[in-house]
Amino acid sequence: MKKNFYITTPIYYPSAHPHLGHAYCTTLTDIIARNKRMRGADVFFLTGLDEHGEKIQKNAEAKGVSPQEFVDEVAVTFKELWNKLRISNNDFIRTTEKRHLSTVQDIFSKFVKDEDVYLSAYKGWYCVHEESYWTETQLGPDHTCPECGRPVEEKKEEAYFFSCKKYLDDLLKLYEENPKIIVPVGRKTEMINNFIKPGLNDLCITRTSFSWGVPIKEKEGHVIYVWLDALTNYISALGYGKKDHSLFDKFWGEDSEIVHIIGADITRFHTIYWPMFLKALNLREPDEVFVHGLLMMKDGKMSKSKGNVVYVEPLIERYGVDAVRYFLGREIVFGQDGEFTPEGFVERINGDLANDFGNLLNRTLGMIGKYFDGVIPSRNEADFTDLDRDLLEKGRVAARSYEVLFDDLKVTESLAKAMELADEANKYIQERAPWALAKDESKKNELANVMNILASILFEVGMLLSPALVEKSEGLFDQLGLDKEDRTYEKAVSLSSLEGTKTQKGEPLFPRLDVVKETEAIKEMMAGPKEKAAA
Ligand code: ME8
């Protein structure tokens, strides 16, 4: 693990209230950022909004407000949601900010000077919704957008183009040399087969038919076409090209690990054009572009335009932020598409959090209370049995696998690993049967060992889950009676003895949900008037 770690989400379009799909990407990125911080990395986590473009301009017109007023209003809803979800981003970039705008203009000017761009005319099939031009061969049936299925329109206008041909060899070399540049690898094959093999066209990077964008200095009437504007956020936020570029030097330098987390819908822009722009700027590429899957509903991708979105606020209100965060991290394998269902949500919370995790906590603290007046007893290795040694060893192995999995961005598997350890500890309770040991005075030492080991394992499980369970992990540490300064990753995974600590058994952290009632409640949220639910 490198010391400096830079991680980003896509910058979302503030075209409407954010939904669970946006929350999915931001939460997963947050879980990774928190994991790396907890393990000692110096992390910079960026998210933000992509505020220009024809779609935003049209939405604002429809609402009778200026585009700036429109995005200002929606920006608040994104920021509020990230607060509610306890997102720990270090910065929030908006592409209408001056710090970003001037960087985009400077980059375009450099491209002009270096002859990376040229003026021409663009003729093609354009999808207003996706803000993408498509070639004839890429179109869906009856001239529809291959991404969203809407009809496309034929357009011709004067435009600047970025010369992709100039950087194609570099891109292919990058694909060869860095297997992580597109993860999962299947997405790379898609890029090669769908876009590169058919012949990569140069990329249109200015437009003249709408005005809501970054104006270029070189020619009246041209604004930067969204993707050059949007992708630049990853470096403008760090101060690239500015007087104070210390953050840029630190987090875009060779000593930094750079990871972009994106959804499958925007892979092309991040893994073809972005590396080319960076090459043209003589800048290093990211280490990894991780493509997560999409949250689907029974009728397809969750999206505002399909009218099937699930809003996050009512879920947080009813089940708490950690239930939502844990569900998102654990239920849908990071990197694959997944379906949101009310049943899946309730089962996941009950099965993992109320049963496995909650039971371990309640039983352990209950027994420490009953047998040792709530004070964690000491351990005596001379009286260890194989089962004791075995559980401690499993705890050590779990921490190591968890780290390897996390560094591979296998977030779902890492959380599952932590939960497996909770399962092991529950099994251990059954096998060691402390209630039987308690009846035998000669087994007092063994009973103390069991309780001591369980407390250490519980501490570890809580720590491993803490990037997802940001509030309840603290609740668990409170109940274990740990001082604030002792709540460190190193201490937790060292599994050292917590003897003498006074535990404070409290309310169950995750009460069991009534399956029928809660499934209905979530269905109600999904069916209810959407705007009201989101308000
Ligand atoms: O594409 N499931 O913005 P956007 C999972 N501004 N993730 C989803 C999702 C779903 N149903 N719906 C959206 C843009 N997302 C550009 C990005 S980046 C330089 C510019 C997430 O508002 C997913 O991460 O359409 C997807 O890539 C992103 O939101 C797209 O957000």
Side-chain angles (χ1 to χ4, degrees):
M1 192 169 86
K2 283 188 187 167
K3 176 92 185 93
N4 299 330
F5 184 72
Y6 182 39
I7 189 160
T8 65
T9 70
I11 48 170
Y12 308 104
Y13 292 128
S15 48
H17 197 94
H19 58 68
L20 197 62
H22 303 113
Y24 176 64
C25 181
T26 308
T27 303
L28 271 286
T29 309
D30 186 60
I31 294 177
I32 300 166
R34 283 175 182 270
N35 173 279
K36 294 279 184 175
R37 270 193 212 109
M38 157 175 110
R39 290 168 49 211
D42 197 342
V43 174
F44 197 89
F45 167 18
L46 178 72
T47 187
L49 295 175
D50 183 2
E51 305 194 331
H52 292 124
E54 195 168 7
K55 193 161 62 177
I56 302 274
Q57 189 172 338
K58 285 186 175 169
N59 285 3
E61 274 162 20
K63 232 187 145 192
V65 295
S66 72
Q68 190 65 56
E69 283 169 329
F70 182 86
V71 293
D72 284 349
E73 204 175 294
V74 184
V76 173
T77 67
F78 273 88
K79 284 189 169 172
E80 281 177 358
L81 180 58
W82 300 157
N83 276 338
K84 285 186 180 155
L85 272 170
R86 300 281 309 269
I87 302 302
S88 64
N89 53 302
N90 298 83
D91 196 356
F92 187 93
I93 183 128
R94 300 178 56 188
T95 55
T96 51
E97 287 173 288
K98 195 158 169 284
R99 60 170 172 156
H100 172 78
L101 231 110
S102 58
T103 308
V104 175
Q105 286 177 326
D106 292 348
I107 288 178
F108 185 81
S109 297
K110 179 170 163 51
F111 284 174
V112 172
K113 194 170 104 275
D114 295 346
E115 296 182 359
D116 285 316
V117 296
Y118 59 90
L119 192 61
S120 178
Y122 190 85
K123 190 162 158 264
W125 297 100
Y126 187 70
C127 172
V128 176
H129 186 262
E130 295 297 327
E131 301 195 269
S132 283
Y133 272 108
W134 303 97
T135 61
E136 187 80 38
T137 50
Q138 290 168 338
L139 291 181
D142 300 325
H143 287 93
T144 49
C145 170
E147 200 69 56
C148 70
R150 292 180 173 75
V152 290
E153 43 190 87
E154 198 171 25
K155 274 200 164 186
K156 182 175 179 186
E157 64 188 62
E158 185 184 77
Y160 275 94
F161 283 78
F162 181 83
S163 179
C164 292
K165 287 175 197 76
K166 217 168 142 180
Y167 296 102
L168 186 59
D169 287 344
D170 291 309
L171 183 76
L172 294 175
K173 190 157 161 260
L174 174 68
Y175 282 6
E176 240 180 70
E177 285 174 357
N178 179 4
K180 280 188 157 187
I181 194 68
I182 314 180
V183 179
V185 69
R187 302 284 180 191
K188 180 154 96 183
T189 319
E190 251 173 64
M191 290 302 112
I192 294 175
N193 290 343
N194 296 352
F195 300 107
I196 296 177
K197 277 199 183 142
L200 188 64
N201 293 321
D202 288 345
L203 181 73
C204 171
I205 56 168
T206 69
R207 300 283 305 276
T208 51
S209 55
F210 66 90
S211 57
W212 183 237
V214 180
I216 61 168
K217 292 178 181 161
E218 286 72 9
K219 205 160 193 303
E220 190 83 11
H222 285 249
V223 293
I224 301 286
Y225 168 60
V226 287
W227 283 99
L228 176 60
D229 179 8
L231 291 161
T232 297
N233 92 88
Y234 299 130
I235 52 176
S236 66
L238 296 178
Y240 166 69
K242 291 283 157 41
K243 219 153 87 207
D244 179 4
H245 47 76
S246 50
L247 272 181
F248 178 79
D249 294 345
K250 180 170 176 184
F251 289 102
W252 207 272
E254 289 304 325
D255 298 340
S256 180
E257 184 179 350
I258 304 172
V259 176
H260 297 308
I261 306 290
I262 61 165
D265 49 342
I266 53 178
T267 314
R268 172 167 63 124
F269 304 102
H270 283 79
T271 60
I272 295 180
Y273 306 118
W274 181 227
M276 288 187 172
F277 293 160
L278 288 168
K279 194 84 201 166
L281 293 170
N282 266 321
L283 297 178
R284 58 160 293 186
E285 296 93 6
D287 290 283
E288 178 160 1
V289 176
F290 185 92
V291 185
H292 69 75
L294 294 176
L295 268 189
M296 312 295 278
M297 300 298 282
K298 289 225 156 23
D299 56 350
K301 173 185 165 183
M302 181 187 296
S303 73
K304 177 82 185 169
S305 47
K306 269 192 158 246
N308 63 357
V309 300
V310 174
Y311 289 109
V312 194
E313 292 85 347
L315 283 174
I316 298 178
E317 213 159 280
R318 195 168 175 101
Y319 305 106
V321 61
D322 283 352
V324 176
R325 290 175 62 99
Y326 181 78
F327 169 80
L328 292 175
R330 177 64 188 85
E331 178 75 9
I332 302 131
V333 180
F334 198 41
Q336 296 176 15
D337 288 347
E339 201 182 320
F340 176 84
T341 64
E343 294 79 5
F345 184 87
V346 175
E347 274 165 29
R348 179 58 70 188
I349 303 309
N350 274 350
D352 288 15
L353 299 181
N355 288 356
D356 296 350
F357 180 65
N359 273 347
L360 176 63
L361 172 68
N362 297 337
R363 292 162 90 190
T364 303
L365 292 194
M367 290 189 287
I368 293 176
K370 190 165 165 195
Y371 305 133
F372 296 95
D373 289 330
V375 180
I376 300 175
S378 59
R379 68 170 73 150
N380 179 353
E381 296 201 18
D383 294 322
F384 272 7
T385 64
D386 282 350
L387 287 172
D388 301 332
R389 274 185 288 273
D390 200 37
L391 183 64
L392 284 172
E393 182 54 20
K394 279 180 177 147
R396 282 184 206 105
V397 172
R400 283 197 295 272
S401 334
Y402 170 88
E403 289 174 13
V404 171
L405 287 168
F406 244 111
D407 290 342
D408 244 359
L409 303 187
K410 294 196 161 45
V411 178
T412 315
E413 292 85 342
S414 325
L415 296 178
K417 185 58 72 186
M419 216 41 105
E420 259 172 43
L421 184 59
D423 271 345
E424 291 292 347
N426 279 322
K427 256 192 248 153
Y428 169 81
I429 296 180
Q430 287 315 112
E431 286 166 347
R432 291 298 272 130
W435 44 88
L437 297 177
K439 286 189 190 136
D440 183 346
E441 197 46 41
S442 71
K443 297 277 166 81
K444 189 91 185 165
N445 272 359
E446 280 194 42
L447 179 66
N449 280 345
V450 173
M451 291 304 132
N452 178 293
I453 290 171
L454 281 172
S456 297
I457 293 286
L458 192 54
F459 180 24
E460 178 181 351
V461 171
M463 188 59 74
L464 301 188
L465 291 174
S466 67
L469 304 182
V470 291
E471 290 181 352
K472 302 292 181 171
S473 55
E474 290 300 321
L476 172 110
F477 302 151
D478 287 343
Q479 295 202 18
L480 266 176
L482 300 172
D483 288 340
K484 291 268 187 255
E485 63 272 17
D486 287 335
R487 301 174 183 191
T488 65
Y489 181 76
E490 291 68 31
K491 287 210 166 151
V493 298
S494 75
L495 291 171
S496 55
S497 169
L498 301 173
E499 68 184 75
T501 310
K502 175 99 187 77
T503 62
Q504 302 162 19
K505 192 167 184 320
E507 292 297 301
L509 294 179
F510 290 98
R512 214 185 139 69
L513 302 177
D514 179 313
V515 178
V516 176
K517 189 167 141 222
E518 297 309 326
T519 307
E520 280 313 307
I522 299 174
K523 283 187 183 152
E524 187 71 20
M525 287 175 203
M526 290 160 64
K530 304 286 196 222
E531 297 311 327
K532 191 167 145 262

